Structure formats: C-alpha cells, structure tokens
Amino acid sequence: MRWIAFSIVVYVVTVLQTAVVPFLGVHHTQPDLLIILAVYYALTARAQDALLAAWCIGLAADLTGLGFARHGGVGLHAFTLGLIAILIVNTRDFTFRDSVITRLVYTLLAAFLQSMIVGLHLYYTAANRPALIDVVQGSLYSAVFTALLAPYGHWVLGRMRHMLGLGTVGRVRLG
C-alpha cells in the first residue's frame, strides 16, 4: 500500500466531505464519503494496512469535527471505524469482495453502526440530547444515503487501485 497516495486520497475525500457534501444533503441527511473510503480499504487492502487505514480515516473525521449534529469527541470516529474494519477484515474472505452487492451491504452496515455509536454517545453525553428515535432515524437515513453512493465511490477507487498500491483481490481457482 502506498501511504502517500493514501494520505492524498484521505485529504481530498475529507475536503469533499466538509465542503461539498453539505450541499448534497436532503432534509439534514448527508452521506458519509469517509465511510465509503474506509470500507473500500477494509475490503481490498492487506489486513494490517486496512485496520490502520480505517483508523486514520476515522481520525481525519474526528479532526474535522464530523460528529453527529456537530458533537463528538476526538477519537470516537477513529475507534468506531477501527472496530468496523476489524469486523470487515474478519468476514471479507467469506464474501465476493468485488461484488457491488457486497460493497453496498458492507457500506450500509458500516455507516449504520458508525452513526449509531456516535449518535448514542451524543445521546448519553450531550446536555440537549436528541430523542432516541431521532438518533436511530438519522443513522438509518444517513446509512442508506451513503450506501447508495458507495458503488460509485468504490468504482472510482477501483480505477485508482494500482496507483494506491492495492493490487488485485485474490481469486479462488476451481479447477
């Protein structure tokens, strides 16, 4: 894995997330491009690289203040994306990694889990806590929006696979 190219991609996606995505929001629901990037790396990179990449992506989200309703502490996204990457890395060998359905499902689940954990953190720590149903609905809507954009994001990242130093996904021979 080429870490300089990874750093540039994380920087570009973080800028897109903070500068462009707020204009794409529908009724306060926004996609999370950093989740798409983290899931892509968790599915395609070596296990150790995938875990470190997901943690770095989460740290970038923490440092830009992308919390649930602009609340959250530094380290929360890094921690949750690290845990999600562990889950994806441990289950990715049982799926077809290049399948659009696989990437869509992993992105949907990762976005929902990450948003729920951050939302529940906000629910239990904020003085003006939102209703629990608002946290669940916001997490679900954001996860669906993110998952709908995931095939396009994964396609773009797939076109840059060799530049990022990820190589090809291993294939199983049946003969």
Side-chain angles (χ1 to χ4, degrees):
M1 192 167 129
R2 296 185 180 126
W3 289 100
I4 293 175
F6 167 76
S7 301
I8 293 169
V9 169
V10 169
Y11 178 76
V12 169
V13 172
T14 303
V15 168
L16 288 173
Q17 181 69 40
T18 56
V20 176
V21 168
F23 297 110
L24 299 176
V26 178
H27 296 291
H28 305 290
T29 301
Q30 298 176 358
D32 193 347
L33 302 179
L34 293 169
I35 291 283
I36 295 171
L37 183 63
V39 169
Y40 181 79
Y41 271 95
L43 286 173
T44 57
R46 292 181 316 146
Q48 296 85 5
D49 292 341
L51 298 178
L52 184 58
W55 183 82
C56 289
I57 292 166
L59 187 62
D62 284 329
L63 294 177
T64 56
L66 296 175
F68 189 87
R70 299 288 184 234
H71 295 284
V74 173
L76 186 60
H77 285 88
F79 177 72
T80 57
L81 280 180
L83 288 178
I84 290 168
I86 289 171
L87 292 172
I88 292 173
V89 166
N90 287 332
T91 60
R92 70 184 181 182
D93 291 333
F94 302 113
T95 61
F96 296 107
R97 293 190 220 178
D98 283 337
S99 170
V100 174
I101 302 293
T102 301
R103 293 176 179 196
L104 187 92
V105 168
Y106 273 125
T107 304
L108 178 73
L109 293 175
F112 182 71
L113 278 173
Q114 194 262 348
S115 186
M116 277 299 295
I117 291 171
V118 172
L120 288 175
H121 172 72
L122 171 68
Y123 180 76
Y124 287 112
T125 59
N128 289 336
R129 64 173 67 172
L132 188 59
I133 190 69
D134 292 338
V135 171
V136 174
Q137 278 182 337
S139 298
L140 183 63
Y141 294 155
S142 176
V144 169
F145 200 173
T146 302
L148 290 175
L149 292 180
Y152 304 107
H154 286 226
W155 179 80
V156 169
L157 291 167
R159 303 293 287 175
M160 300 185 320
R161 177 179 272 178
H162 295 293
M163 182 191 74
L164 297 172
L166 295 174
T168 60
V169 176
R171 306 238 186 247
V172 176
R173 291 189 179 169
L174 298 175

